[in-house]
Amino acid sequence: MVNHWIIVPVVLPALTAVLLLFLPRESVVSRRVVSVASVLALAGISVALWGMAQQGPQAYAVGDWPAPFGIVVVLDRLSALMLLAASAIALAAVLYAIIGWDRRGAHFHTLFHFQLLGINGAFLTGDIFNLFVFFEVLLIASYGLVLHGGGAWRLKSGFQYAAVNLIASTIFLFAVGLLYGITGTLNMADLAVRVAALPAQDHALLRVGALLLFVVFAVKCALVPFHWWLPSAYSAGAAPATALFAVLTKVGAYAIIRMHTLVFAGDAAGISGTLQDLLVPAAAVTLVAGAIGVLGSRSMLQLASYSTVASMGTLLLAAAGLGAEQISAALYYLLHSCLIGAALFLLVDLVAAGRGRVADRLLPEAPVPQALMLGGLFFLCGMAMVGMPPLSGFVGKVAILDGLRGTDDAVLAWAVILGTGVLLLVGFVRAGSTVFWKAGSAVSRSDTARPAARRAGLVVAALVAGTAVLSALGGAVLEATDATAAELLDRELYIRAVAPAASSPES
Amino acid sequence: MSPGEMNPLAELAVSALLVAGGTFLLIGSYALVKLPDTLQRLHGPTKSTTLGVGSVLIASMLYFLFAEGTTSIHELLITLFLFLTAPVAANLVAKAHMRNRAPKSNPTDQLPG
Amino acid sequence: MIAYASAFAFAAVSAATLLTLWRLVVGPGAVDRILALDTLAINAIAVIVLAGIVWTTPLYFEAAMLFAMVGFLTTVAFCKYLMRGNVME
Amino acid sequence: MTAALFPHPLLSATIAVVWILLANEPTPGAIVLAMIVGVAVPKFTSVYWPDRPRVRNPRMIAEYLLVVLWDIVVSNVQVARLVLFRRPEDLQSCFVVVPIELESPEAVTVLAGTITMTPGTLTVDHDPVRRTLLVHCLHAPDPDEVVASIIARYESRLRSIFR
Amino acid sequence: MYVPLVVLIPTLGAVLPALAGRQGRAGCAAVAATASLAALTVLLSVAPAVMRGEPVGFHVPWIPQIGLALSFFVDGLGLFFAALILIMGVLVIVYGRYYLAPSDPPGRFFASLLLFQGAMLGIVLSDNIILMLVFWELTSLSSFLLIGYWNHLAESRQGARMALAITGGGGLALFAGVLLLGGIAGTYELSEIIGRADAVQSSPLFGPALALILLGAFTKSAQFPFHFWLPHAMAAPTPVSAYLHSATMVKAGIFLLARLWPVFGETEAWFLTVAPIGLATMLVGAWIAIFKDDLKAVLAYSTVSHLGLITMLLGFGTKMAAVAAVLHILNHALFKAALFMSAGIVDHETGTRSMARLGGLRRAMPVTAALAVTAAAAMAGVPLLNGFVSKEMMLESASHAVYAGQAWLVPLLATLGALFSVAYSARLAGMVFFGEERHPVDAHPHDPPAGMWLPVAVLVVPAIVLGLWPALAQPLVEVVAAAVVGGDLPEFQLALWHGLTPALGMSVAALLGGVAILVVYSPIDRIRIALPRPEAKAIFDASVRGGAAASQALVRTLQNEDLTRYALVIMLATVALGVFGFLTGPHGAGTRAMLEPSLPAVVGWGVLAVACGIAVVRHRDRLLLLLVTAVAGLVVSLTFLHFSAPDLALTQISVEVVTTILLLLALNLLPKTTPRETGAPLRMAHAGLAGASGLGAGLLAFAVLTRDYVPISDYHLAQARPGGGGTNVVNVILVDFRGYDTFGEIIVLGIAALVIFALLELSAKARRAAGWAARAPSYRTGSAHPIMLVVTTRLLLPLVLTAGVYIFLRGHNLPGGGFIAGIVVGIAFIMQYVASGYAWADERFHFDPQRMIAAGVLLAGLTGVGSWAFGHPFLTSTHGHVHIPLIGDVELASVLLFDLGVFLVVVGTVLLALATIAAVESIGDRRPADDRPAAGERRPIPARPVRIEEEERV
Amino acid sequence: MEMLVASAIGILTGAGVYLVLRRRTLTVVVGLTLLSYGVNLFLFAMGRLTIDRPPVLTDGGAPYSDPLPQALVLTAIVISFGMTALVVVLALRGFLDTGTDDSAIREADMVRGFGPRHLGTEARKD
Ligand code: NA
Ligand code: NA
């Protein structure tokens, strides 16, 4: 009996998006109802899928063609976890959007669901070319969302964002082609098998392919020096969209973890060693660059963007080792940074909304309406981002530092993670006291009631509460990520689930 | 390819058409190079080239008919299409050229290399 | 005999293509280059049909037809751009 | 009824033929499909071809086609000779203005096309107000003769076709 | 069992004042006080056991993976500090209720205060050091809120920022230290760590752990050189200063030192670092305090000094010193809090804290004067007051301390510190309460309501009692000190008189010397002012501002939003990594047989090379660039054809023409040429990189082309007919084997079209649209719709449509299929647009492209979902023979529907994309050439562009 | 022949990269187009080169060229078409709104840029 639920996270958003296209453009309400309902359903399904994933990896042969010949969609703990994160953020984003953002341009909800489709598809697929396809889906949807709302700035950074990602996509195709050219397959599990059996004379080409892929994923997750696009693109993006983007960067991290625990695992052609040599310094630099960006940011959006960069650095610094503990910690931190990233972007938008032309710039000019609520939320977001207890950032950092204990890079990693903590702290304190204190919150005492803003605030609050829950239930969550990491490191499980036939190139 | 069991007359016809086609194509392009004025050059491709392709197409038709025994008549379609479009294309090129002779409004010709 | 004839035709088309290429390079005007492009397309059609004969396959027929269509539309578009600026005016 | 079904019978016929040409084998199936397409497509595209011309005198059409076909071959040989053996500076290229009485755009188009495809002539422009065609000749020692032959060989025949 | 309640009640109770905010000061204070008292009662309920020497514990695992557990325990030390925190808390709350102005929001104040109290209790009662870390940082955060309470004042904000930066930063060091310590000890439970002191001390990581932990402790307790934040924290409301900055928070560091004393206390490293830093802090703090004019500043620096004293005592590492430290913690809490509150009262009554403007207040406010002076005397260590006893013990321990082999060093400096403290205490008391009466004229100082002075009294009385009968403190001190040293203590007797000891001599010297300093105060002050004094705050602010500015500059230069550079970096990295990857792995040349190059292939190669060459060299002529790009596309398509890929050839060529038209439409509004912007050297560099990339790609391709492989596609070839019901394997793969890819692919197309539409629809609405049109070139020659073109395309439309239908139907078995058919049909209509113009053609196109796209995706999706009905996975195909009369056997595959979806999406996309741009441009075309509006001029744009009048319209 | 194709891939890629490194949006777009030509050809070449063996099943037609890369390339062509179309329009709007087709963002944009509310209304006059 095939488990069709596995494909639903892809099919549901697709059909929703199309349905939205058929709805008359005037009927805003019906669009919102459909959109929110669909995301809710998706969230529920993701939870269910997480449950199903507990029985180990399961493959779903799209088109009923056996792997490796058709495309398989694979549900395992990792993909289920990512789906959970995605749908949670999506829910927050869409709830925020229906407060008004979705009216600022055509097709917001359609694009939103298409992007969701792309993200889910990328998390689920077990085929490397199909991964490329879904990368493109989520990218082109994100272009649309970056441009949602229009404006010179958006257009220009949108173009840069698109161009950079198109270059990356080209490199992706070179890599996929190369891998097919030497292994003759596209199915990831089959690739894993064939890569392991590859004659030494092909190893050089294999390494090139792997490294090209690494560049692509590095661009996606804004690893220094490929992080350029992120701050401006995110600063330009429509707030609910950028909230969803918090997951977007994670797709790159997901891809790195997936490829290097499945296809290039077992140090095939010395690739995972090389990966570590590259990733550790790069991630460290990324973290530092992010922290410096936070300290030097001139607007809250810049602050949020660079703290996203910083958290990517932390995440990858943790993941680089590819040990069970490290991956588990990285995954926990990933969940944390999804939640808090989304929260921060929405919050910044909310603040900017209330400050007129000063918007989100770090100037003491315009006071913030509802300074107490927004200031409090910003305070909490800052705590979480910096890694102050008791929110999930702290737990994540402890887990990461614990996981790195005793590795070759422990000293560097510890120094960087803790050192940047100070920079982030100072950066957030500067920003917060400028915007919420210095900018005469005296005015905000007599608050002009904005019910919309209050509702939006609730969404942000919910996300922050999410990080609190994440740390309150830290034990359970870390158990889940431990199980996920363990499953990842035993790649035979995945291979057996996907392609019993794909055990040898002659199959 | 199996021209062996092909009726020699047909074979001759096909070969002749091929040679003629090739020749006309060559002449058309030669005109493009040789003639000094754009409008003069225009005469080459529009006529010779078109006829050149036309004869190649007919050659192919005959070839499939006699060598393969399959009635491959769809080459006619291309021929029809080419003869419909070639003069129009030529006409537009000519119009564009006339326009371009007014140097001022020329967006491309007066560019620095 | 057909073998030789088609070989000749190939050679002729190749030569024609090179001549056209020359015109494409030296121009001088945009119009001349458009004309060269148009001619290249037609040469391409000839090559395709010839290949169909040599390989005795009808599979490339649509390609030839599409080349004819596309070549025409491309030429028209470029010319109209030169004449009017707006291709779809 | 038939008018509604066949907004353009001639076109429908052409389409059907084209379909069979495409299918490349006149099987019954192909023929049935051809008829379907032949009805459907013109109906679908009729809006794009308003006020179609009335075409009559089929004999004349055939005659015209033969004349043109012959001229095309001849013209190509002539042009080939000019291109190959004439020094460019000896070419006496010129423009001639051909007055036309044809009304329908279709007719004008056919004439212009014919001119382009036949002896060293090339339609450059059409002036709807003065009702003339501007024609470029690759080598015309006697321009008036060119005009005369165009009118005699093509324009007159077309006038009787599109009447 | 109840231990956690002690922490939880205030922490959770913090919400109550926030809610009671409406009830005003009284309500909030009441709620807060109740919470504190409740916690206190719980604490006292366990006190007896603790006093019996039976620590009370509580343990619940929280996040075992990181060793974090909710484990608390109350031993002497914990009880002592907890009691201190709660009792002081109650007093401060009562005091604060009267201190706050009606305009100050009480809810926020008391909530933060309770939050802080809870966090503080958490620190002193945690058994798990990670848990302690959690509360540690919470105290930093809550004190940040309290210091910044009056956030409209610049100094409040700066003070709060600095405090958080220093203590929070120190917290991160402590973070590392704690993790290291736990790692060494193999547990995070304090009670267990203490048991493993030897293991810890022998570990190679002992040094770093100690250093990091001390860093945390010193920053929190304002030890030199981190002492500077504390005085600026005094911008906080006085109750806060009294509570945080004298009694409790600053003692957290001290507490940590005491807590870890059994682990580190008796090591050399500890003595060598902690003792001198304590000593230095004591001296520096006291010295500065002597010369401050602001009452609270004096108290602040004296606090710094006393914290240093305590630190030094703990640093000595002897058990008696520890005892002295404990006693002094108690004493200092008593007199210093009393002094802060008194200072608050003075400030409250006279409106100033400047000692220069005050004097002789003992007449105006006798009660306050009496209390304050007594407290000051205690601080000075005057006999018969509690300060004397502990200072005596301090000097006693100091007299035995031998540092760097110098027996005289520590005793001398300690005496000096004591001397200074006598000086500032005497000066404070004298200048404020004695001499002739001085205060701001508008102020009418008198003793405040009892609610304000009673708390002070509550603190001063025990100070006197303990001064007279120190033995009363004996049992408490014993229990606490025992907990500190983690073992049994030497015999000692708290007493007023120990006989003629060196310590006594040192005290006497201190008392006399202190008075002496005041005599020669002004010359010393002149000297001091003459000497350079580094202003720590200035340095700190400068460094933060500098850091921010520097990183801002860095960001600006790196993040310069220059796409060229981004692309350059990516390509450089790609090439570099590619080369690196290749060179660092074994490579063997392939053995696959190669093909003979053919003449047409060589010619085609030449054409491509020339086209690309022109593109590179003459790219600044944009029309030419598009032209040669079209040529390149042509050759690529032929290449596909040459190597047995007809479907690709068809797709490539048809896509290319659409792209070309798109680019031409864009170029019409864009500049026609590109200015030369990059200098020759940079161009060369770019060319080099480009060349390298090209070379790399080519070599990779060649390496693969010349080796053999075992592709999975044999299966596709074998299964296409039986399994997929088609003979065109490529199409079967597209719509069946990998239909999932295609599903994603058409979605990409659809999205592209929607975004394009959204982009330009936005602009069509935008008033600027008219302005844009002004950018369109001004030339208009010849007719827009040449008659030949118009007529021919009208004939071509049905022909091409027919071809499209045919290509679609045959696609599954012969080259073609939904995508190609879609583009062909699209081209057919584009011809109409090009020939007869946008307006004319658009009027006649009766489908909504967006709906077409939606329908296409929907159809494809539903075909996929349909297979669920038969229990098959998404996108499972079925096919079979159907007999239709006349037509005969027809093979129908469900994928035909899927392909139809593809077809619809493609047609919709092509038309939507091109027509949208055309629509925008035709807005421009509607204007006669002469009355073009200046960019920015506003003219309304109708929803649908009206048709263009043309002389040649037929 | 392999050499020809490989070098053709190299030429297209090189030209594409060079154009992508230019400053102006349209040039970048064209560069991306050439780049996609190059990568499509590369992907196609990964199925090796076969002449006169299109993967259209006929009796005795075997062996056939590898159909899988062909399918992949077709997908890739379509996707890059969509992308290119979008980016062209993006470049166009960018130029129309800001008055420059420089792909870089100027300081003026940046400072104004941050802050989502007031972006749309201002077009830069150059
Ligand atoms: Na960007
Ligand atoms: Na596909």
Side-chain angles (χ1 to χ4, degrees), chain A residues 4 25 60-61 63 65 69 107 127 130 160 184 194 201-202 204 207 228 232 292 296 405 433 472 475 479, chain E residues 62 65 161 179 188 551-552 558-559 561 584 586 588 707 710 712 716 736 738 741 761 850 868 872-874:
Chain A
H4 294 298
R25 287 193 62 181
Y60 180 85
W65 295 105
F69 311 112
H107 301 310
D127 181 287
N130 189 246
Q160 294 192 339
R194 293 187 181 216
Q201 67 158 5
D202 293 347
R207 288 173 59 82
W228 316 97
S232 53
I292 288 179
R405 201 194 289 275
S433 69
E479 267 172 34
Chain E
W62 178 3
Q65 293 92 335
R161 283 215 307 258
L179 285 192
Y188 288 110
S551 27
Q552 209 168 87
L558 294 183
Q559 187 77 32
E561 308 303 331
T584 48
R707 60 188 56 220
V710 187
I712 52 174
H716 302 112
D736 203 337
R738 301 187 65 89
D741 275 346
E761 187 216 30
Q850 294 195 51
W868 288 351
H872 291 301
F874 186 61

Side-chain angles (χ1 to χ4, degrees), chain E residues 50-51 75-78 80-81 258-259 261-262 314 318-329 393 473-490 492 494:
Chain E
V50 177
M51 295 305 284
D75 64 347
L77 185 60
F80 174 56
F81 268 91
R259 214 1 130 202
W261 197 91
L314 291 167
T318 64
K319 293 187 171 177
M320 272 321 291
V323 174
V326 171
L327 184 59
H328 196 71
I329 292 171
M393 295 175 75
Q474 180 89 18
L476 176 65
V477 172
E478 270 175 358
V479 175
V480 177
V484 172
V485 301
D488 42 8
L489 295 160
F492 72 92
L494 294 183

Side-chain angles (χ1 to χ4, degrees), chain A residues 274-323:
Chain A
T274 311
L275 175 84
Q276 199 161 353
D277 300 345
L278 293 171
L279 197 49
V280 169
V285 176
T286 306
L287 178 47
V288 173
I292 288 179
V294 167
L295 186 58
S297 48
R298 281 165 296 164
S299 77
M300 295 180 82
L301 272 168
Q302 239 180 350
L303 184 88
S305 307
Y306 278 108
S307 45
T308 313
V309 173
S311 60
M312 279 315 292
T314 317
L315 200 168
L316 292 171
L317 200 50
L322 293 176

Side-chain angles (χ1 to χ4, degrees), chain A residues 129 133, chain E residues 733-735 738-743 745, chain F residues 71-72 74-76:
Chain A
F129 186 81
V133 171
Chain E
I733 292 177
L734 287 176
V735 297
R738 301 187 65 89
Y740 192 48
D741 275 346
T742 309
F743 185 58
E745 160 201 326
Chain F
L72 303 187
L74 211 149
T75 304

Side-chain angles (χ1 to χ4, degrees), chain A residues 156-158 160-161 164 228-233, chain E residues 559 561 566, chain F residues 105:
Chain A
K156 285 207 147 193
S157 50
Q160 294 192 339
Y161 176 55
V164 166
W228 316 97
W229 59 268
L230 187 141
S232 53
Chain E
Q559 187 77 32
E561 308 303 331
Y566 302 171
Chain F
I105 299 172

Side-chain angles (χ1 to χ4, degrees), chain E residues 491-518:
Chain E
E491 269 311 311
F492 72 92
Q493 197 45 249
L494 294 183
L496 195 50
W497 179 256
H498 295 283
L500 289 171
T501 58
L504 183 62
M506 292 156 84
S507 321
V508 175
L511 282 165
L512 299 177
V515 179
I517 286 191
L518 293 181

